[in-house]
Amino acid sequence: MQLIRKYSRQRGVTFVEVMVGLSVGVIVIGGAISVYSSSVQSSNNTLRTSRLNQEMAGLMLVMTNDIRRAGYWQNTTASDLPLNPFSQSDATALLVRDDMVSDTAQPPTGQGNCITYAYDATYLAGNTPGVVDNTDLFGFRLDGGVVQMRQSGTVDGTACVGGTCNSCGNGTWSNVTDENLIEVTALNFDLSNSECLNASEPNLVDDNADGVIDDDAEVDCYATVPTAGSGDVTAESREVRITVTARLANDITTQATATQTVTVRNDVIRIR
């Protein structure tokens, strides 16, 4: 009996099968590339945002730590507080101005993008303790997208009284932010939560001529400013709300806003 073997010819894939396989491969590879690209883009966005937030956090730390010192006077006693040369209402007290161009002083509860103040910087070489000198004048301002800090001022008049020590154009200013890294588009110092109390009230006098004796408005020495020479004793607590808006210099689409509140440690005690 003779065995007959049947051989079948080997067949390859058809053109249609090749095209289907290639199409599936392209779809899979395209999906993988898309996921990878999205992942890289997301990581880059996270890194850019993180860098911006880090720069803004550093800026906030510098401003809040320094503003908190406003009005500090070395070796002062309670009885000397009204004589503090670092918190004079018309000279060295913390003051907000609208901007460095018009340099217009705002009300005690106003706001602006420039702030000036003074404190006894005895830690600086050459500084004279207890006396207002050039190295005791500080401040922050926004200048063309860069936040600047006043390193020293120019004392004029008698211990600044009647002078321009609180001007945003007075003194030497240095950059705090790097224009090559971030652009600060807005800087605001808001004093609206500051308070002033007249310790001489109630005094049985209608000080604001509203027909009511010793009302709440008379206790608020921002609302009813005591008459010069009245001898009224006032106490001011200053609270500064700082708002910064910035964006990366090389990517203006990456921007953020940060807000922080700082309470000045040294209240201002004055005899009017």
Side-chain angles (χ1 to χ4, degrees):
M1 181 176 180
Q2 185 177 5
L3 297 177
I4 300 175
R5 295 181 178 180
K6 184 178 181 180
Y7 294 93
S8 60
R9 297 180 60 185
Q10 185 177 3
R11 296 176 59 193
V13 295
T14 66
F15 178 76
V16 173
E17 292 173 329
V18 171
M19 294 305 297
V20 170
L22 288 177
S23 299
V24 172
V26 169
I27 292 174
V28 172
I29 294 175
I33 293 176
S34 177
V35 171
Y36 176 76
S37 178
S38 297
S39 176
V40 170
Q41 182 66 31
S42 177
S43 297
N44 287 337
N45 291 339
T46 300
L47 288 174
R48 286 195 293 266
T49 302
S50 176
R51 184 172 188 177
L52 177 59
N53 289 335
Q54 184 177 8
E55 291 292 326
M56 294 178 68
L59 172 61
M60 278 292 193
L61 183 63
V62 171
M63 291 192 293
T64 55
N65 282 348
D66 205 67
I67 291 173
R68 191 176 286 116
R69 300 172 179 172
Y72 166 72
W73 184 19
Q74 186 186 43
N75 299 327
T76 187
T77 63
S79 60
D80 292 332
L81 287 177
L83 304 177
N84 187 346
F86 301 94
S87 59
Q88 296 177 41
S89 60
D90 61 346
T92 56
L94 183 144
L95 179 70
V96 167
R97 294 180 177 271
D98 53 356
D99 54 59
M100 61 172 290
V101 178
S102 64
D103 210 19
T104 303
Q106 298 301 296
T109 55
Q111 57 182 301
N113 65 26
C114 176
I115 188 171
T116 56
Y117 50 93
Y119 59 80
D120 205 356
T122 55
Y123 61 90
L124 295 176
N127 184 275
T128 305
V131 177
V132 179
D133 53 26
N134 294 343
T135 53
D136 292 321
L137 303 179
F138 301 92
F140 292 95
R141 70 184 186 186
L142 180 61
D143 183 13
V146 177
V147 176
Q148 297 180 325
M149 178 180 183
R150 184 162 65 175
Q151 300 297 315
S152 66
T154 301
V155 174
D156 52 5
T158 304
C160 289
V161 176
T164 60
C165 296
N166 264 343
S167 168
C168 289
N170 177 2
T172 301
W173 299 74
S174 299
N175 292 349
V176 179
T177 57
D178 186 347
E179 62 182 349
N180 295 315
L181 294 178
I182 66 172
E183 177 190 359
V184 179
T185 56
L187 174 63
N188 183 263
F189 301 99
D190 186 353
L191 301 176
S192 58
N193 288 329
S194 297
E195 295 182 340
C196 183
L197 299 178
N198 190 338
S200 299
E201 294 290 338
N203 60 0
L204 302 179
V205 176
D206 183 11
D207 294 293
N208 58 359
D210 64 352
V212 181
I213 296 176
D214 295 333
D215 56 6
D216 291 342
E218 294 179 34
V219 178
D220 182 354
C221 52
Y222 286 152
T224 304
V225 180
T227 304
S230 63
D232 287 359
V233 178
T234 62
E236 296 176 57
S237 59
R238 283 81 48 81
E239 183 178 290
V240 186
R241 181 180 175 86
I242 308 172
T243 303
V244 179
T245 300
R247 60 191 182 190
L248 289 178
N250 59 358
D251 180 14
I252 62 175
T253 62
T254 302
Q255 56 183 348
T257 297
T259 300
Q260 190 164 337
T261 299
V262 55
T263 300
V264 179
R265 291 173 178 169
N266 304 283
D267 291 343
V268 180
I269 309 298
R270 296 194 181 106
I271 299 177
R272 305 288 179 144

